[in-house]
Amino acid sequence: VSTQSTGEHSQMLLDYETRPVRSPRGALYNLWCADTTEERSRKLRYPIADVVLVVVPVTSQIQSVEGWVREILHGVSSKHAVPIIVVGSQSDLRGPSGECFPPEDGERMARKIGAVRYMECSSLTGEGVSEVFNECVRIGAERRLNKRPCVLL
């Protein structure tokens, strides 16, 4: 995992190769980025994911989450119901202008699609980023009791 500054916000770049990370308790986690342009690659990863993050900038339309969720649910079997966390990114842009969707809309959308949680973060300020990934690890760890790597997508 690395970050690259794009001027205003940092963008997390994840190689398509998975990079395992070992937690302090010895659990092994893999984090993959499903680039929006790599449809075939995304669809191959859904069935093996333990947690899926659906990230939407708070400056965009929260309804865009529904299309991603349809794709995710289509890609996994009913036996492997993968937990979804909806993440509002660029939360530092939230202000009195009213151009961002409110957190309540994110929470409402998360409930509507059956996501386990709605969270917000900002790569610019770092606020909430650790909490998002810690929640992924927590949820993934609950799903995995054996030594097979947990996959966060």
Side-chain angles (χ1 to χ4, degrees):
V1 177
S2 62
T3 59
Q4 175 183 339
S5 177
T6 58
E8 296 178 5
H9 286 85
S10 294
Q11 179 179 13
M12 291 193 69
L13 301 175
L14 303 171
D15 294 338
Y16 282 102
E17 295 177 36
T18 181
R19 299 235 173 148
V21 177
R22 194 164 298 278
S23 76
R25 293 188 175 170
L28 186 62
Y29 300 95
N30 292 318
L31 181 63
W32 287 332
C33 178
D35 187 318
T36 58
T37 61
E38 296 290 333
E39 182 178 351
R40 185 174 182 276
S41 178
R42 278 195 321 266
K43 290 181 178 184
L44 291 173
R45 290 184 176 135
Y46 295 140
I48 61 170
D50 292 297
V51 180
V52 174
L53 296 177
V54 177
V55 181
V56 57
V58 298
T59 56
S60 66
Q61 299 295 315
I62 187 65
Q63 292 79 7
S64 65
V65 167
E66 292 177 294
W68 286 106
V69 171
R70 276 191 299 275
E71 178 180 300
I72 293 163
L73 296 177
H74 182 73
V76 297
S77 73
S78 59
K79 294 178 185 176
H80 181 74
V82 62
I84 297 170
I85 299 175
V86 178
V87 179
S89 66
Q90 300 180 0
S91 61
D92 56 281
L93 297 177
R94 188 176 303 289
S97 66
E99 293 177 12
C100 301
F101 64 79
E104 298 79 22
D105 286 357
E107 292 165 3
R108 202 172 6 263
M109 179 58 70
R111 283 191 302 274
K112 179 179 178 181
I113 65 168
V116 295
R117 184 135 186 228
Y118 173 76
M119 302 179 79
E120 290 191 353
C121 67
S122 166
S123 64
L124 181 65
T125 66
E127 186 176 346
V129 175
S130 293
E131 290 82 358
V132 168
F133 286 102
N134 288 340
E135 184 69 0
C136 286
V137 169
R138 186 189 68 75
I139 291 169
E142 287 177 1
R143 291 179 52 86
R144 293 282 172 190
L145 299 176
N146 59 27
K147 293 183 181 182
R148 188 173 143 205
C150 173
V151 178
L152 309 175
L153 183 61

